[in-house]
Amino acid sequence: MNNFSEISKKISILINQASSILLISHQNPDGDALGSLCFFINYLESIDKNYFAFCLGKISSSFGFLDGIEKISSDFSKVKLSNYDLIIILDAGDFRQIGLEKQFNDLLNFRKEGKISWPVIVNIDHHLTNEYFGDFNLVDKDASSTSEIIYENFKDVFRINRDTATALLLGIFTDTSHFSNPATTSASLEIASSLLKKGARLNLIAANVLKNKSFFSLKLWGKIFSELIRNKRLDLIIALISYKDFSDNEFNEEAVEGLTNFLNCLDARAVIVLREREGEIKGSLRTTSDSIDLSKLAKLFGGGGHKKAAGFTIKGSLQRTKDGWKVI
C-alpha cells in the first residue's frame, strides 16, 4: 500500500486545513463502516476539528462498545453537503450505497457549473466495485477492509490507542468473517497483530459480534433453515426472510446478523439471502467459488462488494404465492 502514501499525506493536509468536515459511510453500517467512522471521530476530536458523522439506517446494538458510536447520526435533515469544506466517505463504492445519490450528484453539478468550489470529496474504500468518485481516492481493492487501509495510511499521523485499535480490529475481524474468508491475508493478520499490541480488545469484539445470539434469534434461524430453497440447476442456496417473519415474532433485524456468512459453509456454488424490510429488500450474496464474481451481479441491482461477498438493496416486497416466492 506504499503507492498510496502521497494520497494519504494529501488527505492529512486537507484534514488539517478544513474548518468543517463531514464523515459518512454506507447505509445500514457494518463493523468495518462503523470502525472506520469511530477511528476518524477520535482522530478529528484529538486535533479539535469541527465534524459531523453520519450514516443512514439503524446501528446494531452489537457495536455499542465502540468509542464514539453515540456521535454517529442518522438524521438526514442535518446533512447539507455544501455546509462542509471536506467530506470523507468511508467504506462505500458509490453514492447509491450512501443513500444520498441525488444530493451528491447535485453537488457535483453545482461544482461543475462553477456555482460552488467546495467541498473536497475524499473516498477511502476497498470494494471491487468502487467507482473512484472522489477528488482523492484512497482505494485498495486488495485490502481486507477499509479499516486495514486506514491503519496502513494513518498509523503514523494519529497515535492509535486502545479504543481506536479496537475500532479498526473490529473492521478487519468482521470483513474477513472472523479471519476465515478469502479477504484474510498475511497483511490483514499482521495488522491485526499490531492492533492487538496497541491494546485492541479482541475479547470485547468477540463477545459482542460472535456471542450475541439470543434464544429468540436462534428460533428465527431455525425457521429460516426449515424453509431454505435449493436451486439444483444453478447450485444455489436461497434464504428468504419476509417482513412478516419479524412482525409476527417481534424480532428485529439484529436477529439475522451473520446468517449469510453462516450459510456460506453449505455445499453450494453460492448463497443468496433476501431480507425484506419496510418497502425494500436487502440482498446478501456469498460464495466460496473462485469462478464466480458476485460483485458484478450485485452491481446490476445498484449494489456492490467483492467477488465472493456482495450485496444490494432494491425497492419491493417478498410475496409467497402458490408458484413460490416472488419479488413485487
Side-chain angles (χ1 to χ4, degrees):
M1 295 178 62
N2 291 332
N3 294 336
F4 302 119
S5 61
E6 291 303 315
I7 299 175
S8 60
K9 287 178 183 176
K10 180 60 179 178
I11 292 171
S12 297
I13 292 170
L14 288 168
I15 289 172
N16 288 325
Q17 293 175 340
S19 59
S20 185
I21 300 171
L22 174 63
L23 300 175
I24 190 166
S25 189
H26 62 76
Q27 52 191 319
N28 305 309
D30 58 9
D32 193 26
L34 294 171
S36 300
L37 280 171
C38 287
F39 172 88
F40 271 99
I41 286 171
N42 279 271
Y43 175 16
L44 297 182
E45 289 191 351
S46 74
I47 56 176
D48 199 28
K49 284 294 177 180
N50 179 37
Y51 73 91
F52 184 71
F54 171 83
C55 65
L56 285 173
K58 182 181 178 183
I59 295 174
S60 169
S61 61
S62 299
F63 303 121
F65 64 92
L66 287 170
D67 184 56
I69 194 79
E70 74 284 356
K71 296 169 184 175
I72 301 173
S73 173
S74 59
D75 189 346
F76 178 79
S77 66
K78 292 184 178 180
V79 178
K80 186 176 180 182
L81 302 183
S82 57
N83 284 347
Y84 303 91
D85 46 11
L86 177 61
I87 298 176
I88 301 176
I89 300 174
L90 301 161
D91 200 40
D94 54 51
F95 296 138
R96 293 184 299 276
Q97 293 180 27
I98 299 167
L100 300 175
E101 184 178 11
K102 183 180 185 304
Q103 290 83 346
F104 271 99
N105 286 335
D106 288 345
L107 175 74
L108 294 178
N109 286 333
F110 289 150
R111 288 197 338 185
K112 187 176 180 180
E113 294 167 4
K115 294 179 181 178
I116 58 174
S117 59
W118 72 91
V120 175
I121 299 174
V122 168
N123 166 27
I124 305 178
D125 186 40
H126 70 118
H127 290 100
L128 190 65
T129 52
N130 191 280
E131 296 183 352
Y132 293 86
F133 52 80
D135 300 301
F136 295 91
N137 298 289
L138 191 58
V139 177
D140 183 357
K141 298 179 179 181
D142 293 323
S144 69
S145 55
T146 299
S147 295
E148 178 181 322
I149 297 170
I150 290 171
Y151 177 81
E152 284 279 44
N153 288 278
F154 296 95
K155 62 185 177 184
D156 296 326
V157 176
F158 172 62
R159 183 178 175 274
I160 295 175
N161 58 27
R162 183 177 68 167
D163 290 328
T164 48
T166 299
L168 294 181
L169 182 59
L170 170 69
I172 297 171
F173 186 76
T174 52
D175 262 25
T176 59
S177 297
H178 326 133
F179 305 111
S180 67
N181 69 23
T184 309
T185 63
S186 59
S188 61
L189 290 172
E190 287 173 8
I191 291 171
S193 176
S194 297
L195 290 168
L196 287 169
K197 291 176 182 177
K198 293 180 183 295
R201 290 165 288 180
L202 180 59
N203 59 336
L204 184 63
I205 294 171
N208 283 275
V209 174
L210 294 180
K211 303 175 183 178
N212 63 343
K213 297 295 180 288
S214 69
F215 172 78
F216 296 105
S217 66
L218 290 180
K219 284 186 68 177
L220 177 59
W221 281 38
K223 181 178 186 297
I224 296 167
F225 293 160
S226 70
E227 298 183 354
L228 288 176
I229 299 169
R230 179 154 210 157
N231 185 310
K232 293 183 179 179
R233 184 173 64 87
L234 298 176
D235 194 18
L236 299 178
I237 298 292
I238 304 168
L240 301 109
I241 310 166
S242 70
Y243 191 69
K244 185 173 181 293
D245 289 335
F246 291 118
S247 58
D248 279 357
N249 301 287
E250 298 183 348
F251 292 114
N252 57 38
E253 288 195 47
E254 293 181 23
V256 292
E257 286 178 359
L259 176 67
T260 311
N261 287 331
F262 182 86
L263 291 175
N264 200 32
C265 69
L266 293 174
D267 181 21
R269 292 186 70 207
V271 171
I272 301 175
V273 175
L274 297 179
R275 185 169 70 200
E276 182 184 14
R277 300 185 296 212
E278 282 192 88
E280 64 182 22
I281 298 168
K282 180 178 180 181
S284 298
L285 315 172
R286 298 291 186 275
T287 185
T288 57
S289 173
D290 293 329
S291 62
I292 299 174
D293 187 347
L294 293 176
S295 68
K296 293 180 179 179
L297 176 59
K299 197 167 180 63
L300 292 175
F301 296 98
H306 307 281
K307 283 188 67 175
K308 297 188 177 184
F312 61 87
T313 300
I314 57 174
K315 299 294 183 183
S317 61
L318 293 172
Q319 186 176 84
R320 191 195 297 266
T321 71
K322 63 179 182 180
D323 298 318
W325 286 93
K326 290 185 177 181
V327 176
I328 59 171

